[in-house]
Amino acid sequence: MSKSLFQAPRGTRDILPEEAGKWRSVLDAFADLAEGYGYGQVISPIFEDVGVFQRLGENTEIVSKEMFIFHDKDLKSPQELALRPELTASICRAYAQHRPVTPWKVWYSGPQFRYEKPQAGRFRQFVQVGAEVIGEEDPATDVEVISLAWRFYESIGLKDVALLLNTLGDPATRTAFNHELKSYLSSRINELSPQSQITMEKNPLRVLDSKRENDLEVLGDAPTIEEFLNQADKEHFDSVRDGLNSLNIPFEITPRLVRGLDYYTRTTFEFISTGLQTAQNAIGGGGRYDGLIEEMGGPPTQGIGFALGVDRILLACEAEKLEIEGTKPLEVFVVDMTGGSHATQIADELRKSGFGVDRSFGGRSMKAQMKVADRSGALYAIIVGDDELEKNEVTLRDLRGDGSQVRVSRSSIEKALNETIEGRNPQ
Ligand code: HAM
């Protein structure tokens, strides 16, 4: 096959029909679960004023390197816009704009865009589902949010998932820790990897994330966040742990867990797929961001939430050999040997009654039409030939079972189908 003129842009891909059904069932499962926890959907724009995302922190890579930025066409007051790299900022912007009653419990799903170096499980366009609770300080909220994500993984059958949990303390705690960490790392700067020497200047916390060998040695003696937590931070974290324990949700306390976004305060968490043998094994993450809404021009308001990467969740399902139910098979394929107008009518009648129906086009031979019928995955073929037409009947052939066939009158197709389908799936 010769190469086509255009390919999907680097870091993006087409999800074709065979795969798309699985995507939809994962997205639907999340929507159903989140609604059942009392979260309502927010559908926000795919692009925002670039300032919305700059509030995520100038020193985060998402903001400094990875945004797709463009200008709108208003020559008088050109606005700088960016494709959203994540949705928490948009939700906070929406909250500050609409000021809904709190706690505002919302969920979302959709594509995000980050100009990253593509690799296994890392794309430039990827899909997240997520949930946020705005305006609630109670640690029971943290427990609910984490349990929603955990129960979601469970509901789709994922087993090899680990929950990593940490606290970064309140903004004052975080700032004090950051300061201390920076001065410690500065004192051993020559032992750090060149990359971490640069990161340390801008964002010392991110150095904690490093897996490089020489960094690990330095990090072994680094100050830890625990030493900096105040009484309220500790009590909050204790309650979150107690809550998760009471729900039998296992977690690992990971003091060096630093997330890639600057807005986090107190509880932070990440879900790792232990079944994925790639570097990109984080299938979700989140935490509290008690200062972000103020940054968006809203009143001081707490927030907590998570986002889960659907691309990686499906890779994790594949790694665990999980069968995710895809598209529902068609019930009927209409084969018309008399020109095609009967296929048009029968397909329309059955579709109106709720059956999944396909048909072939172009007046092909019986053999060719039966081949397409077979490939369609339909359970039954309805065949209209000259003889059937003369007697005002059709032939109903079982395509998935024993291949048996019966003649039924044109007016009782629906009844016959219902009976055979019922016979196939007895209640
Ligand atoms: P994040 O950790 O940047 O957090 O992304 C969450 C999840 O999105 C990741 O764990 C991963 O599964 C997926 N993901 C991220 N980048 C990519 C990529 N390039 N390709 C494929 N999947 C990716 C956030 O986005 C925060 N907004 C989460 C949050 C919500 N925090 C509080 N509320």
Side-chain angles (χ1 to χ4, degrees):
M1 209 165 54
S2 64
K3 207 172 169 191
S4 73
L5 191 54
F6 298 109
Q7 311 279 310
R10 191 163 137 77
T12 73
R13 66 224 157 104
D14 301 307
I15 309 297
L16 300 178
E18 302 81 58
E19 278 293 298
K22 292 184 190 169
W23 280 73
R24 219 173 39 242
S25 47
V26 168
L27 296 175
D28 287 351
F30 183 78
D32 287 348
L33 195 69
E35 299 264 334
Y37 273 60
Y39 291 66
Q41 185 178 13
V42 171
I43 303 173
S44 65
I46 280 187
F47 54 86
E48 298 264 3
D49 190 299
V50 75
V52 170
F53 303 119
Q54 276 161 346
R55 300 299 187 281
L56 299 178
E58 297 287 350
N59 291 328
T60 60
E61 291 204 335
I62 290 177
V63 173
S64 61
K65 292 192 191 150
E66 297 174 1
M67 277 207 288
F68 285 89
I69 297 176
F70 57 102
H71 290 92
D72 75 3
K73 295 194 191 316
D74 182 348
L75 295 177
K76 284 200 200 103
S77 59
Q79 194 184 8
E80 218 178 3
L81 300 165
L83 294 181
R84 63 185 186 208
E86 61 108 62
L87 261 159
T88 310
S90 301
I91 295 293
C92 291
R93 193 266 310 139
Y95 174 81
Q97 181 178 338
H98 304 286
R99 307 284 167 98
V101 175
T102 56
W104 197 43
K105 294 174 52 167
V106 298
W107 69 272
Y108 51 76
S109 75
Q112 319 296 327
F113 306 86
R114 295 182 191 174
Y115 196 83
E116 297 202 77
K117 204 164 162 211
Q119 54 173 264
R122 188 199 269 166
F123 307 96
R124 288 184 175 170
Q125 176 176 335
F126 57 96
V127 172
Q128 286 183 339
V129 292
E132 315 283 347
V133 181
I134 308 291
E136 186 51 75
E137 190 179 22
D138 188 341
T141 329
D142 309 32
V143 176
E144 178 177 284
V145 160
I146 295 172
S147 71
L148 169 58
W150 185 263
R151 299 294 179 223
F152 168 64
Y153 293 128
E154 271 181 353
S155 76
I156 57 172
L158 273 178
K159 291 200 173 59
D160 301 336
V161 182
L163 164 59
L164 312 183
L165 189 68
N166 192 19
T167 178
L168 293 174
D170 69 13
T173 307
R174 191 186 152 125
T175 308
F177 175 55
N178 218 2
H179 190 76
E180 187 67 23
L181 186 62
K182 190 167 183 179
S183 76
Y184 167 78
L185 294 173
S186 307
S187 73
R188 297 186 62 176
I189 191 156
N190 295 330
E191 296 164 66
L192 289 172
S193 65
Q195 293 92 329
S196 289
Q197 291 184 10
I198 299 169
T199 313
M200 187 208 86
E201 285 304 329
K202 292 189 186 152
N203 200 345
L205 272 177
R206 286 297 288 176
V207 178
L208 292 179
D209 243 3
S210 170
K211 311 271 182 309
R212 292 179 204 98
E213 221 164 275
N214 32 351
D215 292 339
L216 287 178
E217 212 170 301
V218 176
L219 291 174
D221 300 327
T224 60
I225 186 77
E226 283 119 313
E227 304 157 32
F228 289 80
L229 297 178
N230 59 39
Q231 195 52 31
D233 291 335
K234 284 184 190 151
E235 283 169 13
H236 190 97
F237 199 43
D238 284 347
S239 293
V240 174
R241 287 190 290 201
D242 289 347
L244 291 173
N245 281 330
S246 76
L247 300 181
N248 291 321
I249 295 178
F251 55 87
E252 288 167 37
I253 301 291
T254 315
R256 291 229 297 262
L257 173 72
V258 185
R259 308 248 317 115
L261 291 148
D262 267 357
Y263 51 61
Y264 291 111
T265 55
R266 292 203 167 154
T267 316
T268 49
F269 53 91
E270 204 152 87
F271 299 96
I272 300 295
S273 161
T274 51
L276 272 180
Q277 301 307 320
T278 50
Q280 305 305 320
N281 64 354
I283 53 171
R288 272 201 169 268
Y289 44 88
D290 290 347
L292 188 56
I293 287 166
E294 223 175 330
E295 294 268 339
M296 298 284 173
T301 313
Q302 305 86 356
I304 177 161
F306 63 75
L308 317 179
V310 178
D311 306 70
R312 289 187 197 167
I313 289 174
L314 283 161
L315 289 172
C317 289
E318 228 171 79
E320 290 194 27
K321 302 204 168 25
L322 268 181
E323 281 296 324
I324 299 273
E325 206 179 296
T327 347
K328 198 168 144 262
L330 289 173
E331 274 113 6
V332 177
F333 193 96
V334 189
V335 171
D336 185 350
M337 299 304 300
T338 66
S341 60
H342 291 280
T344 303
Q345 282 165 22
I346 294 171
D348 186 55
E349 278 163 27
L350 293 177
R351 284 167 176 161
K352 279 195 294 192
S353 301
F355 290 97
V357 184
D358 200 0
R359 44 105 23 120
S360 70
F361 297 101
R364 297 198 167 73
S365 69
M366 175 80 170
K367 196 170 158 210
Q369 291 197 45
M370 286 309 295
K371 208 165 152 188
V372 188
D374 211 41
R375 210 175 335 136
S376 76
L379 301 175
Y380 300 96
I382 286 178
I383 303 164
V384 192
D386 290 336
D387 190 53
E388 283 91 344
L389 195 56
E390 207 172 288
K391 299 189 173 110
N392 205 18
E393 289 178 347
V394 299
T395 297
L396 181 61
R397 183 185 294 182
D398 189 337
L399 293 175
R400 304 285 136 215
D402 55 6
S404 61
Q405 56 183 50
V406 285
R407 282 284 190 108
V408 295
S409 75
R410 178 81 167 68
S411 57
S412 56
I413 301 179
E414 211 174 295
K415 187 164 162 268
L417 270 173
N418 279 328
E419 280 168 13
T420 38
I421 290 173
E422 222 164 82
R424 190 184 275 272
N425 312 309
Q427 293 299 312

